[in-house]
Amino acid sequence: MRLLKLVPDNTNIDFLRWRGIAITFSVMMIVASVALVAVKGLNFGVDFAGGQMLRVSFAQPVSLDELRDDVGGIGLGEPSIQEFGSPSEVSIRLPLPEGGEEGANAAASRVRDMLEAEYPGSRIDAVETVSGKVSDELVRDGALALLLAMIGIAIYIWIRFEWQFGVGSLFSLFHDVTITLGFFALTQMEFDLNVIAALLTLIGYSLNDTIVIYDRVRENLRKYRKMDITSLLNLSMNETLARTIATNLAMLLALGSLMFLGPDVIQSFTTALLISVVIGTYSTIYIAAPWLVWLKVNSDSFIPKTAAPGGAERVASHNEGY
């Protein structure tokens, strides 16, 4: 049986030819994402906003405005109501009721009574209650986890390769996370702990792709000492192209299945991961790699410098180092 070839032999795509356009596009996307987060904000789930959230299924699609009036009329505060997966499934978010667990149970019972009276056939699938103090801690811990993950990865790549590679990977991760946040601000999809887990996965996935290409770049820098850095980066990306396509295709198939066939409760998680596969691949090629050009990485970057007689430094020859 012949093996399927996703990339023909001797493929030579000039990826970096469009790096100027790509970086302009990326800067615009980052600015737009920051503006969206600042203006529209994120639709924090009950994990981060605190309060009580009920997920309700109806026998048929309902009017959200009428449902909002009905829920608001039972005196539990101003409700926030959104579709959740399909027109007949909605999430109802309410302010945190007083009275601790007993108060939360009483509030859920009042909502259930109203739904049974006004919307026969409806049922409450889940009730989540998070206090304001816990939600503040979750916001702080989630943001800290993302920040530390990005810094730790940049330091690791700095040590594993050279500082220029660490800078490139850090900007690449910043690019990926910012645009993903912008997407959630634009669509107002619920932003909860599942999305934080997806963002941490995004950071790891994007790093994996970046390291594969960086490793090939380092290998080629040692092999082709006189090759122009732009040509060398294109060569490295073409050499790893088959692996990149195969890996991402497998990821897209798995995540696509989860997104369209999986349960609604993980939709935000799978959506964030799906975006991360596309953005992470793009940023590895058009954000992480061009930084090596701008920071003037060359064939001498991995050659150890040794002390020459008389105290001057000299660069070890190819045969000495490798």
Side-chain angles (χ1 to χ4, degrees), residues 306-314:
T306 58
E313 277 191 342
R314 70 182 179 86

Side-chain angles (χ1 to χ4, degrees), residues 57-233:
S57 297
F58 295 89
Q60 56 189 7
V62 295
S63 165
L64 297 185
D65 289 336
E66 291 180 9
L67 179 61
R68 188 175 293 107
D69 291 340
D70 290 337
V71 176
I74 59 179
L76 293 174
E78 185 67 25
S80 173
I81 296 179
Q82 288 183 320
E83 285 187 5
F84 187 78
S86 72
S88 60
E89 296 176 322
V90 300
S91 67
I92 301 173
R93 191 184 305 163
L94 294 164
L96 187 68
E98 296 180 356
E101 186 176 351
E102 291 184 1
N105 291 336
S109 297
R110 291 173 65 182
V111 175
R112 182 180 293 107
D113 293 343
M114 184 279 295
L115 292 173
E116 288 176 351
E118 301 293 333
Y119 301 91
S122 63
R123 71 171 190 274
I124 295 179
D125 296 325
V127 179
E128 298 175 16
T129 305
V130 177
S131 72
K133 182 179 179 181
V134 172
S135 63
D136 289 344
E137 290 178 358
L138 291 175
V139 170
R140 186 180 62 246
D141 293 348
L144 189 61
L146 290 175
L147 181 63
L148 291 179
M150 291 173 63
I151 293 175
I153 285 170
I155 292 174
Y156 166 73
I157 292 183
W158 184 343
I159 295 172
R160 183 75 174 81
F161 295 90
E162 288 291 335
W163 68 269
Q164 297 96 326
F165 292 72
V167 172
S169 65
L170 186 60
F171 272 90
S172 175
L173 294 176
F174 173 75
H175 168 275
D176 298 350
V177 172
T178 304
I179 291 179
T180 304
L181 291 176
F183 173 83
F184 274 85
L186 176 67
T187 60
Q188 288 294 293
M189 289 183 68
E190 188 172 294
F191 190 90
D192 54 19
L193 281 176
N194 288 331
V195 180
I196 292 293
L199 289 176
L200 289 170
T201 308
L202 179 161
I203 291 172
Y205 181 81
S206 181
L207 170 74
N208 182 49
D209 229 19
T210 303
I211 281 187
V212 168
I213 292 181
Y214 274 0
D215 201 46
R216 185 57 61 93
V217 170
R218 180 174 60 177
E219 183 182 324
N220 285 336
L221 279 171
R222 293 167 175 168
K223 193 184 297 182
Y224 306 107
R225 300 290 309 282
K226 295 183 180 178
M227 184 180 288
D228 170 65
I229 185 63
T230 304
S231 302
L232 189 138
L233 289 173

Side-chain angles (χ1 to χ4, degrees), residues 34-73:
V34 172
L36 280 169
V37 173
V39 174
K40 295 191 69 173
L42 296 169
N43 177 26
F44 285 126
V46 71
D47 299 338
F48 295 140
Q52 189 172 43
M53 188 174 74
L54 301 91
R55 290 175 180 161
V56 185
S57 297
F58 295 89
Q60 56 189 7
V62 295
S63 165
L64 297 185
D65 289 336
E66 291 180 9
L67 179 61
R68 188 175 293 107
D69 291 340
D70 290 337
V71 176

